[in-house]
């Protein structure tokens, strides 16, 4: 039999089998430890990240998402790629994001619809919004404005409610669509005030403006930027805003809280989510960077141009926000029998 030569021969000859096995384990462990720095030097992200927007290009959610992703690209040195997948009130894009691998390379910027409200309006959905996503960060909120045609007497929300009660089912309110934030806010007003203002959906928010001016439509509900110029010019009336504070662009328009609806607040919001199961360290990293952007002068300026108030916060704060939104809007949607599909 051929024997090992030199020092290794002496070591092998003097080592018992157990010691030889231990030595082998030590060698393997040393190799793994030696490899660890190489792994640590190759952290997430190592390739482009997809951010799904479940709405068409050019609307505020899309513009906001592009501002956030541009900032993340700069801070992480890796490209964030926007992917617009509109349809079904946000369900198509959100559903695609829900099925993506939870590896930190897919996120979705979503709103009330695909994350909260749609579950109460659609009989079936391809994903469960309460289980499919991990909250990352709340980006911002956008209050709505309730406007009135100059062809009807009310000049504020309190007078509108009185007028609507005296003219049951004779007032029509236009919104951007069936099941939209504006629509369910109208139904909340109807419930709280005991009115029966009729919902009239429009495909595009600005389509309601000529009808409001002419008086063919008596009331409008939509996000504030849609109607700011017309209210400022006096062609339509600003009756109330749905935030708890008045907005700087329309300081003379009272809040719903000031108009007989104590504590009333109804704002659209945008938030960033990842597929459920995405590593928490990635979620925390993205959340921290987005919060930094939202607090920056540039971030705040970009959001305010869109009529969005920057918010931010932790993933836990976003989860708590979702719980409140489900508790608030679920009963309203069911009672008004708002259905889609």
């Amino acid at each position: 039999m051929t024997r090992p030569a030199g020092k290794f021969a002496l070591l092998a000859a003097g080592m018992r089998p157990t010691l030889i096995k231990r030595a082998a384990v030590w060698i393997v462990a040393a190799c793994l430890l030696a490899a660890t720095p190489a792994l640590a030097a190759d952290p997430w992200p190592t390739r482009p990240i997809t951010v799904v927007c479940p709405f068409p290009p050019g609307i505020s959610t899309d513009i906001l998402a592009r501002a956030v992703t541009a900032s993340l690209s700069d801070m992480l040195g890796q490209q964030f790629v926007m992917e617009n997948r509109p349809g079904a009130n946000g369900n198509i894009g959100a559903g695609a994001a829900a099925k993506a691998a939870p590896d930190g390379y897919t996120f979705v910027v979503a709103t009330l619809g695909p994350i909260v409200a749609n579950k109460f309006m659609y009989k079936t959905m391809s994903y469960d919004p309460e289980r499919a996503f991990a909250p990352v960060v709340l980006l911002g909120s956008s209050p709505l404005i309730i406007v009135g045609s100059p062809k009807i007497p009310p000049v504020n929300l309190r007078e509108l409610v009185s007028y609507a009660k005296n003219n049951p089912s004779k007032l029509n309110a236009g919104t951007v669509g069936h099941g939209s934030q504006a629509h369910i806010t109208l139904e909340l007003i109807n419930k709280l005030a005991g009115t029966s203002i009729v919902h009239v959906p429009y495909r595009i928010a600005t389509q309601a403006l000529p009808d409001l001016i002419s008086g063919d439509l008596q009331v409008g509900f939509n996000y504030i930027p849609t109607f700011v110029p017309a209210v400022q010019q006096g062609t339509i009336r600003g009756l109330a805003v749905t935030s708890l504070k008045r907005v700087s662009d329309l300081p003379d328009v009272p809040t719903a809280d000031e108009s007989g609806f104590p504590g009333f607040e109804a704002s659209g919001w945008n938030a960033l989510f990842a597929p459920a199961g995405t590593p928490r360290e990635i979620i925390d990293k993205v959340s921290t960077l987005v919060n930094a952007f939202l607090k920056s002068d540039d971030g705040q300026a970009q959001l305010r141009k869109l009529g969005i108030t920057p918010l931010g916060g932790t993933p836990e704060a976003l989860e708590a926000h979702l719980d409140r939104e489900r508790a608030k809007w679920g009963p309203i949607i069911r009672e008004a029998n708002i259905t889609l599909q």
Side-chain angles (χ1 to χ4, degrees):
M1 180 185 295
T2 303
R3 294 180 179 275
K7 291 183 179 179
F8 293 106
L10 293 175
L11 287 170
M15 291 177 69
R16 290 177 294 178
T18 302
L19 293 177
I20 293 173
K21 289 181 181 178
R22 288 178 181 173
V25 171
W26 293 337
I27 292 170
V28 171
C31 290
L32 289 174
L33 288 172
T36 300
L39 293 173
D42 194 27
W44 175 91
T46 60
R47 55 187 171 87
I49 298 97
T50 297
V51 178
V52 178
C53 176
F55 302 102
I59 69 168
S60 60
T61 298
D62 171 72
I63 298 170
L64 169 61
R66 291 179 188 278
V68 171
T69 54
S71 174
L72 288 170
S73 295
D74 290 340
M75 290 187 282
L76 286 169
Q78 189 60 259
Q79 187 177 11
F80 280 68
V81 180
M82 285 290 300
E83 183 178 302
N84 294 88
R85 301 193 65 170
N89 205 31
N91 282 356
I92 291 177
K99 295 173 185 175
D103 55 7
Y105 289 93
T106 301
F107 292 85
V108 60
V109 174
T111 62
L112 177 80
I115 300 298
V116 174
N118 287 359
K119 186 173 182 178
F120 299 106
M121 294 188 280
Y122 281 83
K123 291 181 180 178
T124 59
M125 291 174 62
S126 66
Y127 64 98
D128 182 348
E130 294 186 35
R131 297 184 179 183
F133 299 108
V136 179
V137 60
L138 185 59
L139 301 176
S141 67
S142 305
L144 286 78
I145 185 170
I146 305 168
V147 298
S149 169
K151 303 298 184 180
I152 61 172
V155 297
N156 55 51
L157 180 57
R158 195 185 300 273
E159 291 184 7
L160 176 68
V161 168
S162 177
Y163 188 76
K165 287 181 176 179
N166 291 329
N167 297 272
S169 302
K170 292 183 179 179
L171 295 184
N172 295 322
T175 76
V176 75
H178 190 72
S180 64
Q181 172 81 65
H183 179 196
I184 61 177
T185 300
L186 162 63
E187 298 302 345
L188 179 56
I189 291 286
N190 274 334
K191 175 181 172 61
L192 295 175
T195 52
S196 54
I197 301 172
V198 179
H199 177 236
V200 179
Y202 286 74
R203 289 185 64 252
I204 302 172
T206 53
Q207 288 179 337
L209 190 54
D211 292 342
L212 283 164
I213 294 171
S214 69
D216 291 336
L217 183 70
Q218 294 77 48
V219 186
F221 282 67
N222 220 304
Y223 295 112
I224 288 174
T226 304
F227 294 131
V228 164
V231 173
Q232 290 175 335
Q233 293 163 12
T235 54
I236 61 174
R237 294 176 178 144
L239 304 180
V241 294
T242 62
S243 52
L244 290 174
K245 296 181 179 180
R246 296 192 184 198
V247 299
S248 58
D249 287 339
L250 300 170
D252 295 329
V253 178
T255 67
D257 175 79
E258 296 174 285
S259 307
F261 294 85
F264 187 96
E265 184 178 17
S267 295
W269 47 264
N270 295 275
L272 188 65
F273 299 86
T278 299
R280 181 59 193 242
E281 56 269 26
I282 293 177
I283 288 173
D284 286 342
K285 186 172 187 176
V286 173
S287 180
T288 298
L289 293 176
V290 173
N291 272 286
F293 169 70
L294 295 174
K295 292 176 182 176
S296 70
D297 292 342
D298 178 54
Q300 295 200 6
Q302 290 196 57
L303 266 66
R304 287 189 174 122
K305 283 182 182 178
L306 299 171
I308 296 173
T309 300
L311 293 176
T314 64
E316 288 75 19
L318 174 53
E319 185 61 58
H321 172 76
L322 298 179
D323 289 340
R324 292 190 297 270
E325 292 288 273
R326 294 182 189 109
K328 179 177 185 175
W329 295 115
I332 297 299
I333 293 167
R334 290 194 180 105
E335 188 170 329
N337 195 29
I338 302 172
T339 58
L340 293 170
Q341 193 170 317

